[in-house]
Amino acid sequence: MQDIPKQYNPKEVEKKWYKFWEEKGFFRAEPDSKKKPYTIVIPPPNVTGILHMGHALNNTIQDIYVRFKRMQGFQALWMPGTDHAGIATQNVVEKKLAVEGKTKDDLGREKFLEEVWKWREEYGSTIINQLKSLGSSCDWEKTRFTMDEGLSDAVLEVFVKLHEKGLIYRGNYIINWCPRCKTALSDEEAQHRDVEGMLYYIKYPIEDSKNHVIVATTRPETMLGDVAVCVNPKDKRYKDLKGKTVILPILKRPLKIIFDAKVDPKFGTGALKITPAHDPVDFELGRAHKLEPINVMNDDATINEVGGDFSGMDRLEAREAIIDELKEMKLFLKSEPHRHAVGHCYRCHTMVEPRLSKQWFVKMAPLAKPALEVVKKGKLKFHPERWTKVYINWMENIRDWCISRQIWWGHRIPVYYCKKCSASSEDVIVSKVRPEKCPKCGGSEIEQDPDVLDTWFSSWLWPFSTLGWPKKTKELEYFYPTNVLVTAQEIIFFWVARMIMAGMEFMKDIPFKDVYIHGTVRDDTGTKMSKSLGNVIDPINIINQFGSDALRFSIISITAQGQDVFLAPQKFELGRNFANKLWNASRLVLMNLKEDKVKKDLCQMAGDSSLTLADRWILSRFYQALGDFAKSLEAYRINDAANRIYEFIWHELCDWYLEMAKLTMDEEHTQVTLYKVLEKSLRTLHPIMPFITEDIWQRLPREHGTESIMVTSWPHMQKEFISKKVDAQMQLIINIVQAIRNLRATWRIEHKKEVDIFIKVKNKSVVSSLSANATYVKRLARVGKLEISTKITKPKHSAVSVIGDTEVFLPLEGIIDIDKEKKRLGEKLLGLTAELKRINGRLKNKGFISKAPKNVIQQTKERKERVKVEIGSLKKNIGLL
């Protein structure tokens, strides 16, 4: 009936249908009181970003749920947008300027920001266009940017509100400092990783004594800022040091010896040098003992003027120089390897420097309390559930959030200083708009704080700021709270936890009901993908090669809930092959459908006696697959859903039903069944493979009205078609056909040659059922004479297959040359017996076992087992002859 191309062309199809969907406005979602809302907010990709496989996985999952819920009748909104990515974007533009021989300081703040905005206009939409090529059905007309006017207003509103509540404060604290980006970082942005370092043992002379206190440290360069040496009061080694003073080597500064139970006597020598300006533990000890901190580093991690002769040296260069000088002074005892965790900048990967600095912070404990309760009470759930414990543990031990950054690109902190008042006090003006004069003295000399807010300070408001907050919009009232957040484990603390806190604080409600944490994308060796390792697979290349549907299906079907996914380019052949299988099957159906025969409603056919066993079976199997698919999606077992519909379409619909349907293709019951099952299967598969399902669906005969598969209704469940009895009857037929095919293959019987088959069963009702459907066995297994009975005796020289209580006999006489086959099998048996002897010899050889790689030994053992099985099978077959 339909003229459909022989081959599926994803490039042509995908561009065509995405343009159609956009032009028709199918992605748009506005408040509709007649429908229930379903909302997902996209984790905003960085404006600097290009699509990687992590994005592909993340956004495919989101699109599956949005399309699924849209078809179920929800008003489904997928809110898109991008993040301004403060440090990352500033770095990109600074590199661009460097190529031109300029720096940001050459331009000045305003001109530099103009350059960043220009860059954003030119390149900022790259990832949006790439997400479209993936098939993402976001409401693009609502696209937000974390520095657009509305979101910027939300950021200022939150800062002011939190400051008014006393939850934002400014203070001198140890923070993580990136000397490359020259900015403070939050604890979550200073990612710790183990490094192979050294532990250096240094002698600190005791004043007026020939003795020393030996101190162990991993960072000798910071000793220039030492203000004390601390030991545990219970450490008997140091009981005589009370009231004593040591002399700081090189700088010869006297240092008090203090006692504190926080010192671990087992680390190093048990004596700790105290450097409050350069270590978080030392900072707390310094505060407790009222010690004045000494900062010895500039913002680029070079030693400042306090460091004397080491001034101007890089920190690591100074480390070596200090060790050399200590050796000359005979104050260096030894060094030894020491593996320890060191923070690194999450953007440029530079080793961060703990640094005493005046920064802005958010008090997190009061915000964490309600966000902790909603998870403990189950109002907000994590999937997989194991992440709940991780979240609770972090929230119960939460630390204040450093929110100020010493860069130019971002939301500038809405704090102003009167030159007259702020010079002599900590008085500041916090305001969403620049004040014209100081409210205290009336002066007009007012300066804004030069720092900007952490990028995450805008991102944590994303679920409600994108919907219009702080304004009370219709969208905010209708679409909030959202339904599910799909994200990666890396940003549970950066973003997920903070969004929950912000939602509870400013909306008095959770921002989403479910959090789905997917795994990390790795290569097929298990290594995380990264540009530096050269193991990245570009999603756009995969889309160009195999199609977007192939990428989507492949990555989803091999990613178990919350588990990491291991990818190689060839793994996308799975989705490509499935798309081709579906296309070819649909082409067969479309070429044979007659429009006047497919109009009958399926409900009218539930008890129709004209339906064949095959018709009733495929309907039963479809509705079971439909139910399993929906249940799996609702439980966030997305790969189970993908694999369930794959198994149904490939193995049940294509491999079996289409072959059986050829027997009655022109009859109405088969026409209706074929049409209905294919059409409903396309709808079920659509959320995962939207393009090919749309293209095939558009070619099906249908009543006018619905313009696209993506806005049709989800197939409704018709349980009356599900029959375990029908399933069992057809499964026996399938098993018998497979058994006959296996026997034919074993005995190398030509495909065209018909064989006689005798089937012995125990139950007369099975005889009746098989006899009524014998045509399927004859057609699918190329059987001539078929005899089914409870009283069959095994014919002479018969190949046998046993299926439960059923025996299948295939007489070989006259089908094969028995003498020739005996000879062939005998020769093969001799060859395998000799091979088994050689393998046993190798495995008994001590030299082989000791020298061969483990995988080679394992392969040899596996080959031995296979050869033993083959020998057993050959002996059995020779016995039959």
Side-chain angles (χ1 to χ4, degrees):
M1 180 189 123
Q2 265 272 6
D3 182 25
I4 177 169
K6 279 187 178 180
Q7 289 186 315
Y8 176 57
N9 183 341
K11 277 188 183 178
E12 186 182 293
V13 164
E14 289 170 5
K15 284 179 183 174
K16 169 187 170 184
W17 291 119
Y18 200 88
K19 185 170 181 275
F20 170 74
W21 293 331
E22 278 204 289
E23 286 175 353
K24 290 290 184 179
F26 292 148
F27 302 157
R28 282 202 296 269
E30 302 299 334
D32 184 347
S33 59
K34 294 174 186 174
K35 291 183 176 183
K36 283 185 178 180
Y38 183 86
T39 318
I40 294 180
V41 290
I42 198 170
N46 289 349
V47 72
T48 57
I50 56 170
L51 196 72
H52 57 63
M53 275 300 170
H55 291 128
L57 173 62
N58 180 276
N59 287 281
T60 297
I61 293 169
Q62 292 175 81
D63 195 46
I64 286 169
Y65 280 98
V66 168
R67 289 178 182 273
F68 175 54
K69 291 297 177 178
R70 190 184 285 125
M71 293 175 79
Q72 284 189 323
F74 289 82
Q75 185 70 324
L77 169 65
W78 187 7
M79 175 67 77
T82 53
D83 193 295
H84 67 279
I87 296 172
T89 306
Q90 179 153 323
N91 283 347
V92 167
V93 178
E94 283 191 68
K95 284 177 185 173
K96 176 178 174 285
L97 290 174
V99 173
E100 300 166 11
K102 300 175 189 172
T103 68
K104 67 180 177 65
D105 297 308
D106 293 336
L107 272 67
R109 186 168 192 143
E110 297 309 313
K111 289 286 184 187
F112 175 76
L113 290 176
E114 285 176 17
E115 286 295 313
V116 183
W117 278 106
K118 271 197 270 182
W119 184 92
R120 188 251 171 182
E121 288 304 312
E122 191 172 351
Y123 299 106
S125 60
T126 299
I127 197 160
I128 294 291
N129 293 327
Q130 291 175 326
L131 286 170
K132 289 182 178 183
S133 71
L134 188 67
S136 303
S137 60
C138 298
D139 187 345
W140 298 112
E141 291 178 11
K142 290 184 173 64
T143 301
R144 303 305 301 264
F145 177 52
T146 50
M147 281 184 65
D148 67 28
E149 187 179 341
L151 270 64
S152 296
D153 182 56
V155 166
L156 298 178
E157 180 80 11
V158 164
F159 189 98
V160 172
K161 280 180 178 289
L162 291 178
H163 187 268
E164 286 171 353
K165 288 185 75 171
L167 295 178
I168 284 184
Y169 64 94
R170 193 181 188 212
N172 253 324
Y173 291 92
I174 284 282
I175 48 90
N176 304 290
W177 182 266
C178 175
R180 157 65 183 79
C181 301
K182 294 184 182 177
T183 182
L185 302 171
S186 69
D187 290 337
E188 292 72 40
E189 291 168 324
Q191 297 165 348
H192 280 70
R193 63 171 183 261
D194 284 348
V195 297
E196 297 297 341
M198 300 295 287
L199 193 58
Y200 303 92
Y201 291 79
I202 302 166
K203 297 175 182 178
Y204 282 50
I206 300 172
E207 192 175 45
D208 300 327
S209 170
K210 291 181 180 179
N211 295 324
H212 303 82
V213 173
I214 297 170
V215 169
T217 179
T218 58
R219 302 166 68 222
E221 66 277 13
T222 64
M223 68 184 291
L224 302 171
D226 285 359
V227 297
V229 169
C230 188
V231 294
N232 192 302
K234 292 182 180 179
D235 194 333
K236 292 176 182 178
R237 292 173 293 177
Y238 302 113
K239 63 182 179 180
D240 297 333
L241 292 181
K242 205 164 190 181
K244 297 282 180 76
T245 300
V246 294
I247 302 300
L248 176 65
I250 303 174
L251 295 185
K252 303 190 185 307
R253 188 162 60 237
L255 308 176
K256 286 198 303 183
I257 294 177
I258 60 174
F259 293 79
D260 198 294
K262 293 188 181 72
V263 175
D264 180 4
K266 293 177 183 176
F267 177 77
T269 63
L272 186 72
K273 67 183 209 60
I274 303 300
T275 320
H278 296 281
D279 185 275
V281 173
D282 295 4
F283 175 75
E284 294 300 331
L285 286 167
R287 282 215 303 181
H289 294 271
K290 296 183 171 55
L291 300 171
E292 194 64 36
I294 299 173
N295 183 13
V296 299
M297 285 193 203
N298 298 310
D299 62 5
D300 60 355
T302 56
I303 305 300
N304 64 20
E305 68 283 354
V306 173
D309 293 342
F310 307 102
S311 177
M313 288 186 186
D314 174 75
R315 55 185 165 168
L316 299 181
E317 182 189 354
R319 178 182 298 181
E320 297 304 317
I322 287 168
I323 290 167
D324 288 342
E325 188 156 338
L326 288 168
K327 285 177 179 177
E328 283 182 27
M329 298 171 71
K330 309 283 193 240
L331 294 176
F332 184 81
L333 183 64
K334 65 175 181 175
S335 63
E336 60 188 24
H338 177 67
R339 188 173 177 82
H340 60 129
V342 177
H344 290 75
C345 176
Y346 79 117
R347 280 295 167 205
C348 68
H349 310 296
T350 301
M351 188 168 66
V352 301
E353 190 62 42
R355 189 171 190 247
L356 184 63
S357 178
K358 188 171 271 193
Q359 301 288 341
W360 288 95
F361 296 85
V362 177
K363 286 182 186 174
M364 299 302 279
L367 297 172
K369 193 175 179 183
L372 198 51
E373 285 304 304
V374 291
V375 172
K376 284 183 174 180
K377 290 178 179 176
K379 191 177 178 185
L380 188 153
K381 292 186 172 73
F382 281 84
H383 307 269
E385 202 273 333
R386 67 176 182 273
W387 290 109
T388 305
K389 192 175 179 181
V390 176
Y391 170 87
I392 289 172
N393 182 59
W394 187 75
M395 293 290 273
E396 287 178 341
N397 296 280
I398 199 163
R399 296 171 65 178
D400 287 356
W401 175 17
C402 176
I403 56 170
S404 44
R405 299 290 179 270
Q406 289 65 50
I407 57 174
W408 289 349
W409 173 244
H411 297 98
R412 196 161 172 183
I413 290 176
V415 170
Y416 300 86
Y417 307 96
C418 169
K419 281 192 175 181
K420 185 177 178 183
C421 298
S422 299
S424 58
S425 72
E426 282 293 310
D427 284 347
V428 297
I429 307 160
V430 178
S431 173
K432 287 174 71 173
V433 294
R434 186 184 185 92
E436 292 182 10
K437 59 183 181 178
C438 173
K440 189 174 181 182
C441 72
S444 58
E445 286 189 275
I446 291 171
E447 287 183 347
Q448 186 172 0
D449 193 302
D451 292 352
V452 301
L453 289 161
D454 178 7
T455 296
W456 299 99
F457 197 86
S458 50
S459 307
W460 76 322
L461 315 176
W462 189 252
F464 51 89
S465 63
T466 51
L467 294 168
W469 190 92
K471 293 176 182 173
K472 292 181 178 178
T473 63
K474 288 179 183 176
E475 288 80 8
L476 184 63
E477 185 183 349
Y478 181 75
F479 288 113
Y480 189 92
T482 70
N483 291 80
V484 61
L485 178 78
V486 179
T487 190
Q489 64 192 58
E490 293 89 353
I491 54 175
I492 292 176
F493 310 133
F494 278 124
W495 192 45
V496 180
R498 290 173 182 163
M499 280 192 288
I500 299 170
M501 287 185 266
M504 295 306 296
E505 174 68 17
F506 301 106
M507 294 297 296
K508 307 304 176 193
D509 200 356
I510 54 174
F512 23 74
K513 300 176 184 75
D514 292 305
V515 179
Y516 179 75
I517 307 290
H518 60 72
T520 301
V521 177
R522 301 180 182 276
D523 66 18
D524 55 355
T525 69
T527 306
K528 188 175 179 180
M529 288 189 179
S530 73
K531 287 180 185 176
S532 59
L533 292 175
N535 63 346
V536 169
I537 300 172
D538 185 348
I540 300 303
N541 289 345
I542 297 297
I543 289 170
N544 289 336
Q545 187 179 355
F546 298 113
S548 176
D549 283 336
L551 184 152
R552 289 168 63 114
F553 181 82
S554 301
I555 202 168
I556 288 300
S557 65
I558 63 175
T559 305
Q561 187 188 64
Q563 301 298 310
D564 291 350
V565 55
F566 300 88
L567 288 179
Q570 62 269 25
K571 289 194 176 182
F572 295 97
E573 293 173 7
L574 171 71
R576 188 270 315 273
N577 294 343
F578 184 38
N580 288 340
K581 182 85 169 179
L582 176 63
W583 182 263
N584 292 334
S586 301
R587 186 170 181 269
L588 172 69
V589 174
L590 285 163
M591 289 171 68
N592 286 280
L593 280 183
K594 295 175 175 57
E595 196 165 345
D596 60 322
K597 289 189 176 182
V598 299
K599 291 180 180 178
K600 196 170 185 179
D601 195 293
L602 203 54
C603 295
Q604 300 170 335
M605 299 178 66
D608 195 329
S609 59
S610 68
L611 286 177
T612 63
L613 176 65
D615 295 334
R616 286 182 282 125
W617 172 74
I618 199 64
L619 288 166
S620 175
R621 299 305 296 158
F622 168 73
Y623 283 111
Q624 288 174 69
L626 176 68
D628 292 344
F629 184 95
K631 280 179 192 172
S632 294
L633 278 191
E634 297 292 0
Y636 297 101
R637 297 194 315 272
I638 310 159
N639 68 309
D640 288 348
N643 291 322
R644 186 66 180 86
I645 193 65
Y646 171 90
E647 288 295 322
F648 171 76
I649 290 174
W650 189 298
H651 295 298
E652 295 176 332
L653 177 61
C654 298
D655 286 355
W656 291 104
Y657 181 70
L658 287 185
E659 292 304 310
M660 295 174 182
K662 288 175 184 176
L663 299 171
T664 53
M665 185 68 81
D666 291 332
E667 294 178 24
E668 185 184 48
H669 60 86
T670 300
Q671 288 270 313
V672 173
T673 304
L674 268 175
Y675 170 74
K676 295 292 185 183
V677 171
L678 176 60
E679 194 272 343
K680 289 170 187 287
S681 297
L682 292 172
R683 279 192 271 161
T684 309
L685 181 61
H686 175 76
I688 300 175
M689 301 178 79
F691 294 106
I692 191 170
T693 51
E694 179 74 88
D695 196 76
I696 297 168
W697 187 87
Q698 291 285 350
R699 298 171 187 274
L700 287 170
R702 64 183 192 281
E703 292 180 12
H704 295 288
T706 308
E707 294 182 271
S708 166
I709 192 172
M710 71 170 285
V711 290
T712 55
S713 61
W714 186 251
H716 69 283
M717 176 58 72
Q718 291 180 262
K719 287 185 178 178
E720 62 271 25
F721 283 104
I722 296 175
S723 169
K724 295 298 178 186
K725 182 182 176 183
V726 166
D727 290 351
Q729 288 176 336
M730 182 53 74
Q731 192 58 53
L732 180 58
I733 290 169
I734 289 170
N735 291 343
I736 289 168
V737 170
Q738 287 175 326
I740 298 168
R741 286 174 176 175
N742 290 339
L743 291 174
R744 294 180 69 112
T746 299
W747 294 99
R748 304 200 301 177
I749 299 168
E750 289 178 23
H751 176 68
K752 291 179 182 178
K753 188 177 283 187
E754 286 191 345
V755 294
D756 293 342
I757 294 292
F758 297 84
I759 301 174
K760 183 180 181 181
V761 296
K762 285 193 174 181
N763 195 313
K764 286 185 179 180
S765 63
V766 176
V767 173
S768 174
S769 171
L770 283 177
S771 300
N773 296 284
T775 311
Y776 297 134
V777 177
K778 286 187 166 187
R779 172 68 182 265
L780 298 177
R782 295 199 68 79
V783 173
K785 179 184 176 184
L786 177 62
E787 190 175 321
I788 305 162
S789 173
T790 57
K791 298 177 181 179
I792 284 177
T793 303
K794 176 189 170 186
K796 187 180 178 183
H797 296 314
S798 288
V800 184
S801 184
V802 179
I803 309 157
D805 292 339
T806 303
E807 292 178 275
V808 177
F809 304 117
L810 191 162
L812 296 172
E813 208 159 8
I815 297 293
I816 62 170
D817 184 326
I818 290 179
D819 290 335
K820 189 176 177 182
E821 189 65 16
K822 279 162 96 172
K823 185 183 177 186
R824 183 185 75 81
L825 295 178
E827 288 171 353
K828 191 172 181 183
L829 179 61
L830 284 172
L832 287 172
T833 304
E835 184 183 353
L836 183 61
K837 189 176 179 181
R838 287 195 301 272
I839 291 172
N840 283 329
R842 289 186 83 190
L843 292 173
K844 287 176 183 175
N845 186 325
K846 291 179 181 178
F848 172 72
I849 297 297
S850 62
K851 293 177 183 177
K854 283 184 179 179
N855 65 314
V856 172
I857 295 170
Q858 183 60 32
Q859 286 167 8
T860 305
K861 288 178 178 178
E862 289 170 1
R863 176 59 186 159
K864 176 184 173 179
E865 293 307 311
R866 287 198 299 273
V867 170
K868 284 168 71 177
V869 170
E870 282 187 68
I871 287 172
S873 179
L874 280 171
K875 286 179 176 177
K876 182 183 174 185
N877 289 341
I878 290 169
L880 286 173
L881 300 177

